[in-house]
Amino acid sequence: MTEALCDRRPDPSLERLLADLVPPPRFAQARLDNYVPDPAHPSQEEAKQRVTAFAAALGAPRGGFLAKLRRRKPEPARGIYLDGGFGVGKTHLLTSLFHAVEGERVYGTFVEYTDLVGALGFQRALDLLGESVLVCIDEFELDDPGDTLLMTRLIRELSDRGVAIVATSNTLPDALGEGRFAAQDFLREIQAMAERFEVLRIDGEDFRRRDGVAEIATLPEPEVERSGESMAAATLDEFDPLLRHLTTVHPSRYGAMIDEVSAAHVIGMHGLTHHHDALRFVVLVDRLYDREVPTLISLAGASAPGVLEDLFSAELLRSGYRKKYLRSLSRLASLTGDGGALLRPGAADAAS
């Protein structure tokens, strides 16, 4: 019987949480050498050069014995904040930096760090992360006041210990939280965090569109069902039950939920109008994308191939989460392209 994601309730151990603090499979081979800037957008080359210099500085000696004696405590470290639209290579640069630096370093998404703090407690997490040379934070988003206070404090105290921090986001650090909660109430904390970063703005077009991936392809529902039932290690879910299931699993565990899944199949897809459903689905798409899991979807009752339009309502796309939703649409288009490729002659057998 085909398994569904709805059947999975992951409860990763602390060891698993720590082991996951590395770049995801999609970016395992990302290096500064294979980051190819778009000549039409010079900021990409500038960001590459600045990240390269930052990596070299982290690897440079910090002075001799006398310098260590004079240094009573580490100087606050400056970090880099990679800001820009989706698909311009921010995550590629972040993972490349991780691979370029030697010594203890960690890499995770924003929600993975908040989950780690929840599992360990703030002080223990701080002490653990404080042993690192470099902390990489991908998808930096402050969606609620609690996360704002937690992450700004964590970054400030890690920086005070001399830990270099590099983050990616679609929002400038002093604008985090705008349109989502009363950011002005937390302006002091946000500004204190922002002062620790050098902001590198990266312009450009979504590379997935440059590669010809633009539309979220859908398939007839019977075809998606047949594929899900015949493919080894695949999952098959109905969209609405899947959305309900996502409310029962912490977003930081969505990665564990798709462990060893060869392809994800979802039938009955339709548009979303509420942030709580949409934001959880965005995180699931991000984890599917990171782990390179091909995805096949069908519209509710569809009997012919088509294109999924209006996954996020116009109201959602006007909100403070606009860039996050647009990134998800781009990534889902890429995943469904990979999913459609599985149905070409011989592809499903190879996947098995």
Side-chain angles (χ1 to χ4, degrees):
M1 181 177 178
T2 303
E3 188 179 13
L5 293 178
C6 288
D7 299 328
R8 297 184 167 207
R9 297 183 181 276
D11 186 18
S13 65
L14 176 58
E15 289 72 21
R16 167 65 190 269
L17 293 177
L18 295 175
D20 279 349
L21 293 179
V22 294
R26 182 174 291 273
F27 297 98
Q29 303 303 317
R31 299 293 187 274
L32 289 166
D33 287 345
N34 57 34
Y35 176 79
V36 182
D38 184 346
H41 299 279
S43 60
Q44 294 185 17
E45 176 63 32
E46 293 168 5
K48 177 180 179 178
Q49 295 302 322
R50 181 65 191 94
V51 170
T52 300
F54 191 83
L58 284 181
R62 297 190 177 186
F65 179 70
L66 292 178
K68 292 181 179 179
L69 285 179
R70 289 193 295 269
R71 190 186 303 125
R72 293 184 179 180
K73 64 178 182 178
E75 295 181 2
R78 282 194 62 83
I80 290 180
Y81 192 98
L82 300 170
D83 171 70
F86 52 91
V88 296
K90 301 188 302 296
T91 300
H92 188 127
L93 286 172
L94 184 66
T95 51
S96 296
L97 175 62
F98 177 94
H99 292 303
V101 173
E102 296 184 357
E104 197 71 29
R105 68 263 196 251
V106 293
Y107 178 102
T109 62
F110 180 84
V111 294
E112 286 175 323
Y113 286 112
T114 57
D115 192 41
L116 183 68
V117 173
L120 294 177
F122 184 87
Q123 191 59 48
R124 189 178 173 198
L126 175 64
D127 291 340
L128 177 69
L129 297 174
E131 297 176 359
S132 305
V133 175
L134 171 68
V135 170
C136 299
I137 308 174
D138 200 17
E139 302 169 14
F140 201 112
E141 298 287 354
L142 299 182
D143 293 344
D144 63 66
D147 286 346
T148 300
L149 295 175
L150 175 68
M151 291 303 291
T152 55
R153 179 187 172 195
L154 183 65
I155 286 173
R156 188 169 60 249
E157 296 200 22
L158 285 172
S159 179
D160 287 343
R161 294 188 181 201
V163 178
I165 300 171
V166 179
T168 71
S169 180
N170 297 320
T171 309
L172 290 169
D174 57 1
L176 287 165
E178 283 186 0
R180 306 174 196 181
F181 59 86
Q184 65 273 15
D185 294 341
F186 302 90
L187 190 58
R188 180 180 302 173
E189 287 80 6
I190 293 172
Q191 288 178 337
M193 179 195 71
E195 290 171 356
R196 308 298 173 109
F197 290 109
E198 172 190 359
V199 177
L200 298 181
R201 172 72 188 182
I202 306 177
D203 301 305
E205 300 176 359
D206 179 5
F207 78 91
R208 288 174 288 267
R209 287 186 175 272
R210 294 202 306 268
D211 291 343
V213 178
E215 296 181 333
I216 301 173
T218 67
L219 297 164
E221 189 165 300
E223 189 170 354
V224 175
E225 290 180 324
R226 283 195 300 272
S227 174
E229 291 166 355
S230 64
M231 192 179 301
T235 57
L236 176 61
D237 290 87
E238 294 183 35
F239 190 48
D240 284 327
L242 177 59
L243 292 177
R244 290 193 293 270
H245 181 63
L246 293 180
T247 68
T248 69
V249 180
H250 190 277
S252 64
R253 301 181 180 185
Y254 289 4
M257 190 168 65
I258 59 175
D259 276 352
E260 300 179 359
V261 172
S262 62
H265 298 70
V266 183
I267 61 175
M269 290 278 287
H270 58 74
L272 298 170
T273 58
H274 298 289
H275 284 301
H276 56 271
D277 285 334
L279 290 172
R280 280 189 286 265
F281 187 65
V282 162
V283 177
L284 178 62
V285 170
D286 285 341
R287 299 294 78 79
L288 290 167
Y289 183 80
D290 285 344
R291 287 158 176 79
E292 300 181 299
V293 179
T295 304
L296 297 89
I297 65 175
S298 72
L299 299 175
S303 58
V307 174
L308 174 59
E309 298 177 342
D310 302 324
L311 174 59
F312 303 114
S313 69
E315 182 179 358
L316 294 183
L317 291 176
R318 286 194 298 267
S319 74
Y321 301 104
R322 170 182 171 80
K323 291 180 180 178
K324 183 180 286 192
Y325 292 142
L326 291 176
R327 180 191 69 206
S328 185
L329 292 173
S330 173
R331 289 183 167 185
L332 188 56
S334 178
L335 289 170
T336 58
D338 295 340
L342 291 179
L343 300 184
R344 294 171 189 156
D349 292 337
S352 300

